[in-house]
């Protein structure tokens, strides 16, 4: 496709087996880095091996259907042990943004919010979760958002036009910290 560089993010369906992501990074000819999903009990040696393989971030899934009922403690424990230069990608839904706003604001490393925070377009641009997300984009210069998953937030269905104002608001809040995925 002509991309000079890219980031390969571990898909939830692979769980903590990052072999496919590491393989893709290795075959990229130096054009890719990756984001892993890890077990909270991961050792420092395993984190170092991931780093050597090109991983530069960890993805945390806050979706209740993908994790146990209390991922926050596990998340904070792993985040505090990441190698320098790493970031976290957080996959959560709108209620989780509200519930974890303080945690997100206080994280001492760069943060990427996946899928525009899985807000619901039917709840409007002014909903608390989306306004918190925009506030973090404006206030933290190490806070990013992925403009992807229009089909996941849309209330209107294809072609997901009701998602466009949400993407535009993210771009307006921090045009240099919006990622395409």
């Amino acid at each position: 496709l002509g991309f000079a560089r890219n980031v390969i993010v571990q898909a939830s369906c692979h769980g903590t087996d990052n072999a496919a992501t590491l393989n893709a990074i290795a075959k990229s000819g130096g054009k890719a880095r990756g984001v892993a999903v890890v077990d909270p009990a991961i050792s420092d040696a395993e984190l170092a091996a991931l780093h050597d393989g090109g991983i530069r971030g960890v993805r945390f899934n806050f979706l209740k259907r993908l994790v146990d009922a209390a991922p926050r403690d596990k998340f904070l424990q792993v985040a505090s042990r990441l190698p320098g230069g790493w970031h976290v990608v957080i996959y959560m839904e709108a209620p989780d943004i509200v519930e974890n706003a303080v945690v997100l604001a206080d994280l001492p490393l760069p943060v990427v919010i996946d899928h525009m925070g899985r807000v619901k377009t039917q709840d409007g641009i002014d909903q608390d979760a989306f306004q918190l997300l925009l506030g973090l984009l404006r206030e933290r210069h190490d806070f990013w958002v992925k403009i992807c998953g229009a089909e996941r937030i849309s209330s209107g269905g294809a072609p997901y036009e009701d998602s466009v104002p949400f993407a535009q608001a993210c771009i307006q809040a921090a045009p240099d910290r919006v990622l395409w995925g």
Side-chain angles (χ1 to χ4, degrees), residues 1 3 9 13-14 18 22 46 52 61 65 71 73 82 89 91-92 98 110 116-117 120 161-163 166 176 178:
L1 295 174
F3 293 116
V9 180
C13 63
H14 291 287
N18 295 286
L22 290 166
E46 290 169 311
D52 292 344
N61 295 315
R65 62 187 160 78
D73 293 340
L82 295 178
V89 175
Y91 185 27
M92 59 176 42
V98 174
M116 293 184 278
K120 298 287 184 203
E161 292 175 3
D162 58 336
S163 301
F166 290 81
D176 60 331
V178 173

Side-chain angles (χ1 to χ4, degrees), residues 2-181:
F3 293 116
R5 58 187 177 177
N6 63 81
V7 177
I8 301 166
V9 180
Q10 174 81 347
S12 299
C13 63
H14 291 287
T16 59
D17 178 357
N18 295 286
T21 299
L22 290 166
N23 182 270
I25 294 167
K27 292 182 181 244
S28 75
K31 293 182 178 184
R33 292 287 187 237
V35 174
V37 174
V38 299
D39 185 287
I42 190 168
S43 70
D44 290 340
E46 290 169 311
L47 284 172
L50 289 173
H51 186 86
D52 292 344
I55 298 294
R56 294 299 184 269
V58 173
R59 184 176 194 222
F60 294 103
N61 295 315
F62 273 61
L63 298 185
K64 305 278 192 275
R65 62 187 160 78
L66 297 177
V67 295
D68 62 31
R72 186 184 329 179
D73 293 340
K74 294 176 185 176
F75 161 66
L76 293 172
Q77 182 183 54
V78 173
S80 70
R81 297 178 43 237
L82 295 178
W86 280 36
H87 68 282
V88 294
V89 175
I90 301 176
Y91 185 27
M92 59 176 42
E93 293 177 323
D96 299 313
I97 293 172
V98 174
E99 182 180 326
N100 293 289
V102 173
V103 172
L104 293 171
D106 290 343
L107 280 169
L109 63 165
V111 176
V112 176
I113 295 291
D114 222 346
H115 305 299
M116 293 184 278
R118 289 290 302 258
V119 296
K120 298 287 184 203
T121 60
Q122 68 194 23
D123 295 336
I125 284 274
D126 292 328
Q127 65 184 281
D128 289 344
F130 193 65
Q131 289 303 309
L132 283 167
L133 179 90
L134 293 176
L136 288 165
L137 279 169
R138 289 184 195 105
E139 295 163 17
R140 285 195 53 168
H141 297 288
D142 62 349
F143 200 89
W144 301 66
V145 66
K146 276 198 238 171
I147 301 297
C148 59
E151 77 285 359
R152 297 174 189 212
I153 72 168
S154 176
S155 302
Y160 317 115
E161 292 175 3
D162 58 336
S163 301
V164 172
F166 290 81
Q168 289 172 330
C170 290
I171 293 165
Q172 185 177 23
D176 60 331
R177 286 178 279 112
V178 173
L179 304 169
W180 175 80

